[in-house]
Amino acid sequence: MILHELISYDVLRVIWWLLLGVLLVGFAVTDGFDLGSMGLLRATAKTDVERRTAINAVGPVWEGNQVWLILGGGAIFAAWPQLYAVSFSGFYLAMFAVLVPLILRPVAFKFRSKRESAAWRNGWDWVLCITGLVPALLFGVAVGNVILGVPFRLGDDMRIYYDGSFFGLLTPFALLCGLVSLSMLLMHGASWLVFKTEGEVARRAARYGVLFALLTTVLFAAAGVWLGSINGYVITSEISHIGPSNPMNKTAAAAAGAWMHNFQSYPALWVVPGIGLVMPLIVALGLRSRREWLSLLGSGLAIAGIILTVGAAMFPMILPSTVDPRFSLTVWDSSSSHVVLFIMLVCVLIFLPLILAYTSWVYAVLRGKVDIAAIATGKGHSY
């Protein structure tokens, strides 16, 4: 027996679809509190010492959290090459709009305290704040466009043509998804600041965290109601789960309310959006009662519930085409080969536990709250 045949092609495709969701959730939960904390920097920290305290809450770990972004991009490139080609070419300007803040953020972390000038530090604080808010918003806008479908088509030679524009991505539903993402990550960032800081920074973060937790539930519920009325996409022909990756071997169609079909067919799936709706309320309760672990755990679960709701609604679609639904990418016709998926799975089983173990060790070493007194007196490292 050939080794890769130990796991059938269709099972491997589903495994990699699940792994893609895990990596997206991992990035949103870890790097999400970095973005959210810095997005709230100007609101939760008023003095230089307070801002340095908030920055030190994420400063030692933000670089390690970027691993999840790299893993996600690598997984898309290797496991779902057509998805990578469409998204990274069609969303070129949108990707650039996200990458610029992600590039400026480390510069701000490194250069903020290089000079004693108040104007210098104030300027970099604004950079940290903006580079936290912009990606948080645009990530949600991107997800909204994936749900709506993307204007791309395939040529006879499988070459990809993108017929959209950057401003065409800023539709009302996509912007609502962006607000869900922004509110969700600000809630998560506030929960992290409460978990890692004390004094006025933590108190202000708790107040903003309650606000954004309630707003997350409201916005997510509104997006869910809207989702039920917009066009989803369904496969209308037979499709082989173990066939070659060629999206043009099927037919598909847009249908109103199609994104609700999976929930209607498998009622147990309603648990997933239920988590996304209820957990922000648990976060608000935890912040009001100063139960730091409860609020941080609740915000992480809320993020997982909201992101996984998208996957549960769209399966087996990955990226629908609004030009012609036949070109839409699905789990069954846009993956890498059987051998590639198997080899990559072996690599994941080896390296992902190592990454999790190392990350857990780092967080264990850095446990505890930021010492604001040490920052105020200049003792120890401070950003």
Side-chain angles (χ1 to χ4, degrees), residues 183-184 186-192 194 205-214 216-217 275-303:
S183 179
M184 173 182 77
L186 289 176
M187 169 192 69
H188 194 43
S191 298
W192 179 255
V194 171
R207 290 199 298 270
Y208 282 104
V210 170
L211 171 64
F212 286 112
L214 298 176
T216 298
T217 292
I275 291 173
L277 285 171
V278 172
M279 281 302 158
L281 302 179
I282 300 298
V283 173
L285 177 63
L287 291 172
R288 289 290 297 272
S289 60
R290 291 296 189 271
R291 297 179 181 177
E292 301 165 356
W293 271 105
L294 179 63
S295 59
L296 187 60
L297 178 62
S299 63
L301 290 174
I303 290 172

Side-chain angles (χ1 to χ4, degrees), residues 266-278:
Y266 305 96
L269 287 177
W270 284 107
V271 172
V272 180
I275 291 173
L277 285 171
V278 172

Side-chain angles (χ1 to χ4, degrees), residues 136-346:
L137 176 68
L138 292 182
F139 283 137
V141 171
V143 172
N145 278 279
V146 169
I147 294 172
L148 291 171
V150 177
F152 73 93
R153 52 192 170 88
L154 302 176
D156 294 334
D157 58 354
M158 297 298 292
R159 182 177 178 182
I160 296 167
Y161 298 89
Y162 181 77
D163 296 333
S165 65
F166 174 76
F167 292 104
L169 301 174
L170 305 179
T171 61
F173 179 78
L175 289 173
L176 175 59
C177 291
L179 292 177
V180 173
S181 173
L182 178 61
S183 179
M184 173 182 77
L185 295 186
L186 289 176
M187 169 192 69
H188 194 43
S191 298
W192 179 255
L193 287 175
V194 171
F195 184 72
K196 290 293 291 184
T197 66
E198 297 176 315
E200 287 300 316
V201 174
R203 280 189 282 273
R204 295 189 195 107
R207 290 199 298 270
Y208 282 104
V210 170
L211 171 64
F212 286 112
L214 298 176
L215 191 58
T216 298
T217 292
V218 172
L219 291 173
F220 183 51
V225 172
W226 199 338
L227 184 68
S229 62
I230 65 175
N231 282 343
Y233 293 81
V234 293
I235 299 172
T236 56
S237 65
E238 292 293 329
I239 183 170
S240 173
H241 295 178
I242 58 173
S245 290
N246 185 347
M248 298 175 71
N249 287 339
K250 69 173 184 308
T251 60
W259 293 144
M260 296 290 110
H261 287 177
N262 285 341
F263 296 105
Q264 294 164 0
S265 301
Y266 305 96
L269 287 177
W270 284 107
V271 172
V272 180
I275 291 173
L277 285 171
V278 172
M279 281 302 158
L281 302 179
I282 300 298
V283 173
L285 177 63
L287 291 172
R288 289 290 297 272
S289 60
R290 291 296 189 271
R291 297 179 181 177
E292 301 165 356
W293 271 105
L294 179 63
S295 59
L296 187 60
L297 178 62
S299 63
L301 290 174
I303 290 172
I306 291 171
I307 293 176
L308 295 180
T309 294
V310 177
M314 293 184 63
F315 184 86
M317 290 286 176
I318 295 181
L319 189 65
S321 169
T322 58
V323 174
D324 185 342
R326 178 170 61 106
F327 301 136
S328 299
L329 307 181
T330 76
V331 171
W332 313 123
D333 60 17
S334 60
S335 73
S336 293
S337 69
H338 192 171
V339 175
V340 170
L341 292 184
F342 181 81
I343 293 173
M344 288 177 55
L345 181 60
V346 173

Side-chain angles (χ1 to χ4, degrees), residues 106-149:
V107 177
F109 275 123
K110 299 300 182 183
F111 280 84
R112 181 196 182 275
S113 295
K114 295 299 183 182
R115 294 176 59 183
E116 296 294 334
S117 167
W120 171 271
R121 294 187 173 186
N122 186 60
W124 286 117
D125 289 342
W126 274 112
V127 171
L128 286 171
C129 182
I130 293 171
T131 55
L133 296 173
V134 171
L137 176 68
L138 292 182
F139 283 137
V141 171
V143 172
N145 278 279
V146 169
I147 294 172
L148 291 171

